[in-house]
Amino acid sequence: MILFDRSSGTALLAFILAVSGANLLAAGLTDPRPPPFGPVKAATGRLSAAEERGPAKEREALPRSVPVRLAIPAIGVDTGVMALGVERDGTMEVPPLTKDAPAGWYRHLPTPGEDGPAVIVGHVDTTRYGPAVFYRLGTLTAGDTITVRRADRSTAVFTVAATRQYRKTSFPTGAVYGPVGRPALRLITCGGDLDRRRGHYRDSVVVYAVAA
């Protein structure tokens, strides 16, 4: 994980944790099929210059205000957003493994609409309840719209620039959590093959989005 130092505008590498490690965002669906994923996969952390810019013009940053609701029409997501901190062992907190659990915003990074990478995570599925809030996250493609309603009643709108799937053992920490000089959003969940012995997925799915 990279923790973001807002006072200096730099990213501090606390430790590398591929989306909070083995216990994050998946408890193992009983269906052996992996979560759906779009036509493109990539194993590298860097996006192309065009993907970094995204299909929309850069927008002026918004002041800080916590996210309260997330909508992704292309995959039928309309969910509340809870704030997540850090566990005692230094790992990122995750949303509860309950039915209809919301997505979670990592509160030690920017809020959606501020300059920098806002990070929202969500479960892909659970053994007990099946597909969860981010089950179809991997099917998002460039140009899809993401809307985040904020506590100050403003709305931050983002456009998907790219969707990537990475092995957790080679998670691109800097590309995901590192500083960005404009408003950006990363949505993260698990994906790929399920390691049934350990009860978690081997990959992480990351959606990169830019302010629209």
Side-chain angles (χ1 to χ4, degrees):
M1 178 193 305
I2 284 185
L3 301 181
F4 190 77
D5 181 354
R6 299 182 70 251
S7 63
S8 63
T10 60
L12 302 178
L13 180 60
F15 54 90
I16 294 178
L17 191 60
V19 195
S20 287
N23 64 340
L24 181 66
L25 311 184
L29 186 63
T30 52
D31 189 331
R33 294 173 298 179
F37 197 83
V40 178
K41 292 186 179 183
T44 61
R46 292 187 178 277
L47 302 183
S48 68
E51 288 171 330
E52 284 283 8
R53 289 192 302 272
K57 295 180 181 179
E58 293 185 13
R59 300 297 182 186
E60 184 177 349
L62 299 173
R64 188 170 180 84
S65 180
V66 301
V68 296
R69 195 150 197 93
L70 170 72
I72 315 173
I75 57 174
V77 168
D78 186 358
T79 179
V81 179
M82 63 184 296
L84 304 174
V86 179
E87 300 282 6
R88 289 184 177 181
D89 63 359
T91 62
M92 186 198 307
E93 291 179 334
V94 297
L97 282 168
T98 56
K99 187 176 182 180
D100 299 325
W105 161 68
Y106 184 54
R107 59 184 175 84
H108 295 295
L109 287 174
T111 61
E114 282 190 286
D115 278 338
V119 172
I120 296 178
V121 301
H123 292 293
V124 63
D125 61 42
T126 70
T127 302
R128 184 172 183 179
Y129 299 113
V133 63
F134 277 177
Y135 184 69
R136 297 181 60 211
L137 191 72
T139 65
L140 289 178
T141 58
D144 287 337
T145 298
I146 301 168
T147 302
V148 183
R149 184 153 50 87
R150 304 170 359 130
D152 65 0
R153 298 187 179 182
S154 66
T155 299
V157 181
F158 297 87
T159 300
V160 172
T163 300
R164 294 286 185 266
Q165 185 166 316
Y166 309 101
R167 283 293 183 184
K168 290 184 177 180
T169 53
S170 57
F171 188 81
T173 306
V176 175
Y177 296 102
V180 178
R182 62 187 181 282
L185 178 67
R186 283 80 164 93
L187 305 181
I188 307 174
T189 193
C190 288
D193 299 327
L194 178 65
D195 183 340
R196 293 192 172 276
R197 182 177 65 83
R198 301 178 66 185
H200 68 86
Y201 289 103
R202 294 184 173 92
D203 294 354
S204 297
V205 174
V206 180
V207 172
Y208 298 85
V210 295

